[in-house]
Amino acid sequence: MIKIADVAIAAKVSPSTVSRALTKPDLVAHETRERVLKAAQQLGYRPNKLARGLRKQKSRLLGLIVGDILAPFHATLAKGVQDAAEKHGYMVFLFNSDEQPEKEARYLQELQSHLPEGLLIVPTAKTRQHLQSLHNLRDLPIIELDRTSGSPGVHAVLVENVLGAREAVEHLIQLGHRRIGMVAGEPVITTAQERLEGYRQALEQAGIPFDDRLIANGYHKEEGGYAAAMELLRRPLHERPTALFVGNSEMAAGTVQAIRDLGLGIPDQISLVSFDDTRWAQLMEPALTVVAQPAYEIGFLACETLVSLLQQKKQMQSRTLRLKTRLLIRQSTARPFEGA
């Protein structure tokens, strides 16, 4: 069992300094307190008491971890979080995981030394095990945005992914498309799973057999979307999809580039729909048909929910809020070309 003396040795201070740093932090120099907290966290010293100590300090700081801050969706989401936080007098400490579980784990560890009162996170594939391994986060209110990790006790703010994807594919079916390909995200991420399910449901309702050869994974990145689209569109004409549904805007950017590199026309040779709207999607020629999701509102509502949890003295049962999407039909979809 880890004792105060062990923490004192690791932090190179006296046991009494460790005790004050954990129970009366205002009596200890900031640099020393940070060193003690870091040592205590690394050693796993009495995590429940340490977590309570963090909360008592009322840092007015919230942690936010997003998957890709360069992606318009994540940037807009972060703006919503920041605006809601400022409204209630909180600061936001932002980390960018780059969709890499290793970075996420490192940032979760780092975040604890900054004494956050709550955490908002866009999960990676390993968020659940990361949260389970960080005992000091057990009593910290946590809101997941856009995706869910399945972590117990964690709240979430998402969108209607299945319905939005289904409406997008139904639109293509109504235009007459039957060979509809999908550039999907990372298979273990819930948004990718739910949007694939919406795709499946639309095909099933139209009596079109599901063909997994028409699915390629782009792993939520532009370069992945490019590779996936190339895989689908380099096939012989009679096997090639006449339309593509892409799981997010980053993969859609790569898909558009692949279509252009192959010398194909949108929508006369390939129809295209993407999940998520962006400025470039509106301005490209032809303008891109999209499933628009309220990125700013997701961030704002998630932060409002977190602040509400912080203001309540008793723990609330975890809940999931889902916001609606909108299908915006523009010029990138049309009937299949003749001979398809």
Side-chain angles (χ1 to χ4, degrees):
M1 181 177 178
I2 303 299
K3 299 179 180 179
I4 279 184
D6 300 314
V7 178
I9 292 172
K12 298 181 180 180
V13 296
S14 67
S16 60
T17 298
V18 172
S19 179
R20 285 195 299 273
L22 298 179
T23 59
K24 298 180 180 179
D26 54 309
L27 299 180
V28 180
H30 175 74
E31 182 179 343
T32 302
R33 183 173 73 244
E34 291 286 306
R35 196 163 69 246
V36 170
L37 289 174
K38 185 175 182 180
Q41 292 163 355
Q42 290 176 342
L43 294 173
Y45 171 72
R46 303 179 77 84
N48 292 340
K49 290 186 177 180
L50 179 55
R52 287 196 294 270
L54 294 177
R55 287 199 302 273
K56 286 179 180 178
Q57 294 185 59
K58 297 295 182 186
S59 64
R60 307 298 292 180
L61 177 70
L62 305 177
L64 171 63
I65 302 178
V66 299
D68 183 1
I69 194 60
L70 293 179
F73 173 80
H74 291 274
T76 305
L77 182 150
K79 171 65 172 169
V81 169
Q82 182 182 28
D83 286 353
E86 287 188 359
K87 171 185 170 184
H88 295 284
Y90 285 88
M91 296 288 289
V92 178
F93 200 12
L94 173 65
F95 292 91
N96 177 46
S97 72
D98 277 329
E99 301 285 4
Q100 297 177 24
E102 298 77 15
K103 281 190 176 182
E104 179 189 73
R106 187 165 70 248
Y107 293 151
L108 283 169
Q109 287 278 10
E110 173 66 21
L111 182 60
Q112 293 181 89
S113 67
H114 295 277
L115 315 180
E117 292 188 45
L119 170 66
L120 302 110
I121 183 169
V122 178
T124 69
K126 295 186 177 180
T127 297
R128 180 168 182 166
Q129 70 183 64
H130 292 161
L131 294 180
Q132 288 175 334
S133 66
L134 293 171
H135 301 295
N136 295 335
L137 290 177
R138 279 181 178 174
D139 297 327
L140 194 72
I142 299 174
I143 310 286
E144 293 181 337
L145 304 92
D146 182 48
R147 319 162 179 172
T148 56
S149 68
S151 301
V154 172
H155 304 258
V157 178
L158 319 171
V159 300
E160 295 284 358
N161 288 299
V162 175
L163 178 59
R166 191 170 70 225
E167 290 177 342
V169 179
E170 285 173 348
H171 167 64
L172 293 171
I173 293 171
Q174 289 166 2
L175 289 171
H177 293 277
R178 291 297 179 269
R179 287 199 310 277
I180 302 171
M182 180 174 180
V183 176
E186 187 171 356
V188 296
I189 297 295
T190 55
T191 49
Q193 295 168 355
E194 291 174 351
R195 292 168 193 175
L196 179 58
E197 177 59 24
Y199 168 91
R200 284 178 180 269
Q201 288 183 11
L203 295 181
E204 181 180 355
Q205 290 174 4
I208 302 174
F210 175 82
D211 185 350
D212 59 10
R213 293 174 299 178
L214 292 175
I215 309 297
N217 295 104
Y219 299 94
H220 298 111
K221 292 289 189 176
E222 182 175 337
E223 58 271 24
Y226 182 90
M230 281 291 190
E231 176 186 339
L232 293 170
L233 297 177
R234 277 177 169 161
R235 295 177 179 175
L237 183 60
H238 68 281
E239 296 179 4
R240 194 175 76 196
T242 61
L244 289 179
F245 170 52
V246 185
N248 78 354
S249 61
E250 291 301 294
M251 294 187 295
T255 297
V256 170
Q257 188 60 53
I259 292 171
R260 290 175 175 170
D261 286 353
L262 291 170
L264 300 176
I266 302 172
D268 51 321
Q269 291 175 290
I270 182 78
S271 285
L272 185 62
V273 182
S274 172
F275 207 106
D276 196 22
D277 196 13
T278 62
R279 186 67 176 159
W280 70 260
Q282 300 170 38
L283 297 177
M284 70 170 273
E285 183 63 39
L288 188 61
T289 295
V290 298
V291 178
Q293 55 178 337
Y296 180 88
E297 288 77 6
I298 294 171
F300 194 92
L301 179 58
C303 190
E304 287 280 348
T305 302
L306 181 57
V307 171
S308 177
L309 292 173
L310 292 171
Q311 292 173 346
Q312 297 182 28
K313 294 184 178 180
K314 63 178 182 179
Q315 283 191 333
M316 285 180 58
Q317 186 175 2
S318 62
R319 61 173 180 161
T320 297
L321 303 174
R322 285 193 182 266
L323 305 182
K324 293 182 178 180
T325 61
R326 290 186 301 143
L327 177 64
L328 302 180
I329 300 174
R330 298 186 179 126
Q331 291 77 50
S332 66
T333 53
R335 296 189 60 79
F337 62 91
E338 292 185 10

